[in-house]
Amino acid sequence: GQVAQGARGASVGEQTREILSTIDRLLAQAGTDKSKLLSANIWLADIATFDEMNQVWDAWVTPSHPPARATVQAQLAHPDYKVEIMVTAARD
């Protein structure tokens, strides 16, 4: 899973944006992109921040190819982390 290293302690929206940017970069390095996502797991330190995270997610995800997704509340590795995201993608 990916957490926001640069936006550590920032809002859920800012952390989500940073994580998704990192995921874009990692997917490109692997020879794929977000249009080929198969699944996503999202952990939130506080499920009450779901809407804030989801607005950023919805703006990022490919509308015609949304992955299966699970979003749950969990205690993350450090209190500054509010979001963790893990994705699985196909490659051509």
Side-chain angles (χ1 to χ4, degrees), residues 21-62:
S21 177
T22 299
I23 289 172
D24 277 332
R25 181 177 47 78
L26 292 171
L27 289 170
Q29 288 174 1
T32 190
D33 61 56
K34 65 186 176 184
S35 72
K36 295 177 181 71
L37 290 179
L38 302 173
S39 66
N41 292 316
I42 302 174
W43 296 273
L44 295 171
D46 182 354
I47 200 70
T49 62
F50 176 86
D51 288 340
E52 183 179 355
M53 174 283 302
N54 202 52
Q55 285 181 339
V56 177
W57 173 267
D58 283 347
W60 176 80
V61 75
T62 304

Side-chain angles (χ1 to χ4, degrees), residues 70-91:
T71 305
V72 298
Q73 179 173 309
Q75 183 175 351
L76 301 181
H78 191 279
D80 285 345
Y81 297 137
K82 298 174 181 162
V83 184
E84 183 172 347
I85 302 174
M86 180 181 75
V87 300
T88 302
R91 285 184 18 186

